[in-house]
Each structure stands twice: as C-alpha cells, then as structure tokens.
C-alpha cells in the first residue's frame, strides 16, 4: 500500500455535494430526484458538477456524446487512473445511484489536493451520459460510445421515449463537446456505487468487491389488435393487445421463478392505446427486462419469452413486433482490481464480500478496454430506482475511503 495509508476523505463535504446535486430535479417530500438524461435538469446537474471540477483545477473535457472527464495531473504524464459513474437518474431516482461514484471521485481529488499529494499517475473522474437508458435506450450509452462499441453517429440518432433525438438534445443543453471518441483508454477504471440490492445489508457487510455484472436484455414489444366497444364486443370476438401484454408480464415473472435466482425478469412499462375504460385497446407497447449472470441461461430465457409472445399473440389474433433496446453479455471484472478492492477494504478494517452486480454500470463498458473493478456500499432495505434510496453516511465514507486508496494504489 502507499505511504498515505492514513489519508481519509471528508464525509461532510461529500454529503454536502450529494445534497446540493440532489436539489436539482428534487422530488418534493423525498430525498430523491428526477434528472432524466439530457433534460434541463440533467443540464443543471452537469453544470454544477463541472463547476466543482473547475474549482478543483481539473482539466475538463466534454466529448461528442456528452461524457465529461476531469483530470488531475500526476507526477508523470500518461493514461490516468479513472473513476466515475453517471449523474442522470431514472424519473423516480435516488440521490446516490451514480452520483455517489462521481462525487466521491471529486472527494478523492480534493482530499489529495488538501494533503498536497501529487499522485504518480494522473487521476480522472468522469460522468457518462445516459447511464440509465430510461429516456434514451440502451443503458450505459455514454460509456458504450466512450469505449468505441457504438458509433457516435448511431448514438446521435437514438429517439427518446418522448420523441426527441439524442444529438439534438445534446446540442440543446450545450454538451455536444469536441473531445475525441472513442475516449482515451485509462490505465485502470474503478467505480464506487451503491449496491441497489439487499445483500450487503442483510449480511451486515460494509464493502462489496464487485466481481462482474450480469447480462442484460431489454426488448420493446408492440402488439396491435382491433379496437372496439367494451360493452358490445363478445369476449370470443376480441383481438385485445392489452391481454397479451398482461399475459406476458405474468409469464416473465413465472419464467424467472422457474429458472431460479439470479434470473430476474421485469415488465416495467406498459402503454395501452387509447387507454380508455370502455375501449378494447388498439395497441399495447411494453418493455421486457431480463438479466442473468450466465449468458446461456439468459439466451434460453430470451428464447422462451419470444416463443410465449408469438403463441399468445396468435391465440388472441393480434400481431406482434419486437425491437431489441439493449443486449449486453455478462461481464467479469479484472481479478487484480477485484483483489485490490477486497484487500484495501480489509486493510481499513472493513468487512468485505465478493459479489456480482445485478444492475448495469458504466464500469462494465470500461472493462472492455482496461482493468476495471467496482466498490459497492450497502443500500438501506435494498431499495433503489426509488426516491427512498438511502445509504448510511458511515457506509458512504467507508466506500469513498476504499475508492481513495484503491485509486492511489492503482496510480
Ligand atoms: C441501469 O442502471 C440498470 O441496471 O437498469
Ligand atoms: Mn447507477
Ligand atoms: Mn440506476
């Protein structure tokens, strides 16, 4: 370990920044916030964080997908040890998801600046555009483009759930930047994040050394039937797309239970048209999110869902079209970084568990280009993607201190 082992982050400063950022898009009466990607709220959040980066004298760049990276010079030049995450949220987001990884990165840098320490290599903290994918699918979009796995042209053409085009929205909020893409390959990448699940809390463990991220499959389904009068149309003569949507939602749940943990399956969005009490719907549009750590099981789940959709649609006499919104294979993080996270936590007297991530993260994209790992801290009641999301200050502090020392060691 480095000779700066005793160095600690300032938890009050970190909490103050988390609170200030959470005021932007705050959901009244809760701790949560709504900053969907590339909205006015996202812009205001970005401006705040970029201001903090400039206050810390970081060299700030913005690329053509709106990813923002701030670099602190090291004793020698070269690829930085990078950390970061995202500051966009789902519409009903908490204040920690993503934001913690970014603001803890700033805290790491401010701690070093205050202590007068220049790291051997440069350190970078970044926030990636549209990690949530809730407005512009797929999720982890900014980091996907950063590593060159999707072209910036394709990304610019993506349409949001509210009908806006990504490139135009980036320009509108002033975050269509000049930095080259794919982005510079870091020496290593590490992301601090709240677990967003119940495991650490249930087991009384403070730090998760994340071993990888499960595979993610997102599909949008559009079912078209025949709209008709709810009072006069006999049940046997209906072509009701809503029924197929609800049957599929039930099937996805039953399938996940049949395949067993860690298989999960969610129908999170269903839109019926015209969505009226006395009208058999004309169409149903809905989404399917299925995830598993084993790609073979995930492929099997995808096959079974598709088979069910076709059969249920045929039985109802409706037509069905599917569109893949995201498909990412499971990711395994670099053993050396996972070991370093675990060893760093232990050296600080913290309990640690090696565990996979159920949620998607920017780190899974960075893992394609450099040694990568993640640090998890517990989520109270395992709640996330909910304004009630909470992590105790002592756990935030522990996680940020692990991030600090992992970054120093990597540097
Ligand atoms: C992204 O955060 C996801 O896991 O849905
Ligand atoms: Mn996140
Ligand atoms: Mn999230």
């Amino acid at each position: 370990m480095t000779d700066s082992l005793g160095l600690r982050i300032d938890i009050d400063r970190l909490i103050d920044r988390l609170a200030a950022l959470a005021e932007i898009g705050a959901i009244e009466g809760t701790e949560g916030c709504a900053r969907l990607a590339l909205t006015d709220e996202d812009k205001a959040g970005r401006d705040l964080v970029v201001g903090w980066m400039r206050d810390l004298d970081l060299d700030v760049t913005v690329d053509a997908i709106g990813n923002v990276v701030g670099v602190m010079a090291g004793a020698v030049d070269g690829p930085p040890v990078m950390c970061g995450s995202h500051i966009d949220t789902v519409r009903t987001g908490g204040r920690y998801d993503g934001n913690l990884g970014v603001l803890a990165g700033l805290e790491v840098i401010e701690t070093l600046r205050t202590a007068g320490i220049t790291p051997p290599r440069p350190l970078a903290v970044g926030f990636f555009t549209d990690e949530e994918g809730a407005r512009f699918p797929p999720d982890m979009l900014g980091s996907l483009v950063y590593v060159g796995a999707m072209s910036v042209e394709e990304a610019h053409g993506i349409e949001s759930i509210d009908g806006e085009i990504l490139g135009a929205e980036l320009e509108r909020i002033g975050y269509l930047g000049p930095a080259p893409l794919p982005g510079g390959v870091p020496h290593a990448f590490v992301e601090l994040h709240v677990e967003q699940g119940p495991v650490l809390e249930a087991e009384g463990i403070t730090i998760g050394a994340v071993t990888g991220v499960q595979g993610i499959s997102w599909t949008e389904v559009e079912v078209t039937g025949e709209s008709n009068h709810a009072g006069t149309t006999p049940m046997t003569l209906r072509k009701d797309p809503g029924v197929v949507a609800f049957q599929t939602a039930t099937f996805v749940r039953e399938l996940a239970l049949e395949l067993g943990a860690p298989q999960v399956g969610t129908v999170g969005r269903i839109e019926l048209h015209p969505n009226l009490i006395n009208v058999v719907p004309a169409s149903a549009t809905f989404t399917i999110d299925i995830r598993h750590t084993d790609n073979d099981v995930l492929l099997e789940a995808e096959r079974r869902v598709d088979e069910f959709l076709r059969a249920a649609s045929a039985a109802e006499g409706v037509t069905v079209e599917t569109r893949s919104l995201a498909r990412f294979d499971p990711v395994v993080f670099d053993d050396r970084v996972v070991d370093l996270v675990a060893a760093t936590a232990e050296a600080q007297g913290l309990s640690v568990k090696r565990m996979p991530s159920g949620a998607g993260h920017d780190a899974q994209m960075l893992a394609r280009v450099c040694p990568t790992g993640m640090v998890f801290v517990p989520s109270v009641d395992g709640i996330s993607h909910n304004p009630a999301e909470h992590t105790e200050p002592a756990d935030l502090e522990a996680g940020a201190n692990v991030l600090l020392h992992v970054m120093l060691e990597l540097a």
Side-chain angles (χ1 to χ4, degrees):
M1 308 300 289
T2 65
D3 54 4
S4 30
L5 191 61
L7 209 58
R8 316 285 298 166
I9 63 97
D10 180 336
I11 184 60
D12 295 332
R13 201 164 52 195
L14 174 56
I15 285 179
D16 286 351
R17 283 204 179 107
L18 283 162
L21 184 51
E23 274 173 30
I24 300 173
I27 300 171
E28 224 188 297
T30 75
E31 285 212 342
C33 39
R35 288 194 312 274
L36 284 170
L38 311 188
T39 55
D40 292 348
E41 291 75 21
D42 186 22
K43 175 194 164 39
R46 285 164 172 267
D47 291 350
L48 182 65
V49 176
V50 167
W52 286 331
M53 285 180 167
R54 295 204 199 283
D55 291 346
L56 286 169
D57 264 338
L58 302 187
D59 179 16
V60 180
T61 57
V62 182
D63 65 31
I65 192 70
N67 298 321
V68 176
V69 179
V71 179
M72 173 191 195
V76 292
D77 217 4
V81 172
M82 189 170 178
C83 71
S85 191
H86 60 98
I87 62 166
D88 69 312
T89 75
V90 295
R91 203 192 302 281
T92 52
R95 64 173 56 187
Y96 303 100
D97 178 357
N99 305 301
L100 173 62
V102 179
L103 302 186
L106 292 184
E107 185 50 42
V108 164
I109 285 170
E110 186 150 6
T111 300
L112 296 177
R113 285 253 195 266
T114 306
I117 294 172
T118 301
R121 288 173 191 279
L123 299 186
V125 51
F127 59 85
F128 296 97
T129 295
D130 186 42
E131 188 273 348
E132 294 292 3
R135 185 169 179 231
F136 295 95
D139 48 354
M140 287 79 69
L141 181 68
S143 45
L144 188 68
V145 176
Y146 186 90
V147 301
M150 182 191 278
S151 75
V152 71
E153 293 76 20
E154 182 181 352
H156 280 179
I158 293 173
E159 189 179 337
S160 72
I161 54 170
D162 44 291
E164 302 295 340
I165 302 301
L166 188 141
E169 285 291 87
L170 259 179
E171 202 161 0
R172 184 184 69 79
I173 68 163
Y175 277 86
L176 185 69
L181 282 166
V185 174
H187 177 68
F189 183 82
V190 54
E191 180 172 356
L192 169 64
H193 206 285
V194 289
E195 181 201 339
Q196 309 182 272
V199 175
L200 291 175
E201 183 184 64
E203 298 187 16
I205 289 169
T206 305
I207 297 293
V210 184
T211 52
V213 180
Q214 64 183 347
I216 300 175
S217 168
W218 282 4
T219 306
E220 185 179 73
V221 183
E222 179 149 13
V223 185
T224 308
E226 188 174 83
S227 198
N228 212 334
H229 195 293
T232 61
T233 316
M235 297 311 288
T236 49
L237 295 181
R238 294 183 181 212
K239 297 176 177 174
D240 186 343
V243 166
V244 173
F246 302 127
Q247 286 172 335
T248 306
T250 303
F251 177 78
V252 165
R253 183 183 174 87
E254 282 167 359
L255 177 68
L257 288 167
E258 179 199 319
L259 294 174
Q263 181 68 57
V264 286
T266 307
V267 172
R269 173 159 72 88
I270 297 183
E271 285 156 20
L272 300 181
H273 183 78
N275 207 27
L276 294 169
I277 186 168
N278 53 355
V279 182
V280 177
S283 66
T285 306
F286 60 101
T287 54
I288 302 169
D289 172 325
I290 46 180
R291 310 189 192 200
H292 200 288
T293 46
D294 181 333
N295 205 42
D296 289 339
V297 183
L298 187 56
L299 285 166
E300 170 68 4
E302 287 175 308
R303 193 192 60 72
R304 296 263 311 266
V305 169
D306 194 65
E307 187 179 84
F308 179 87
L309 259 178
R310 311 274 153 208
S313 298
E316 186 65 21
V318 296
T319 59
V320 61
E321 277 178 53
T322 59
R323 181 164 76 99
S324 175
L325 297 181
R327 181 61 169 84
F328 300 119
D329 287 354
V331 170
V332 177
F333 287 144
D334 191 296
D335 276 343
R336 293 164 299 174
V337 183
V338 180
D339 288 348
L340 177 61
V341 169
T344 304
E346 277 159 12
Q348 294 186 12
L350 301 165
S351 50
V352 55
K353 178 186 175 76
R354 289 167 191 263
M355 61 190 296
S357 170
H361 296 291
D362 294 307
Q364 79 192 79
M365 298 309 165
L366 272 294
R368 298 183 186 206
V369 295
C370 67
T372 295
M374 290 188 73
V375 182
F376 272 177
V377 286
S379 293
V380 171
D381 295 332
I383 300 258
S384 186
H385 284 187
N386 180 328
E389 176 187 87
H390 186 72
T391 293
E392 294 300 341
D395 293 332
L396 299 172
E397 183 175 15
N401 277 318
V402 171
L403 179 70
L404 166 68
H405 288 284
V406 166
M407 288 187 78
L408 275 176
E409 192 61 26
L410 288 168

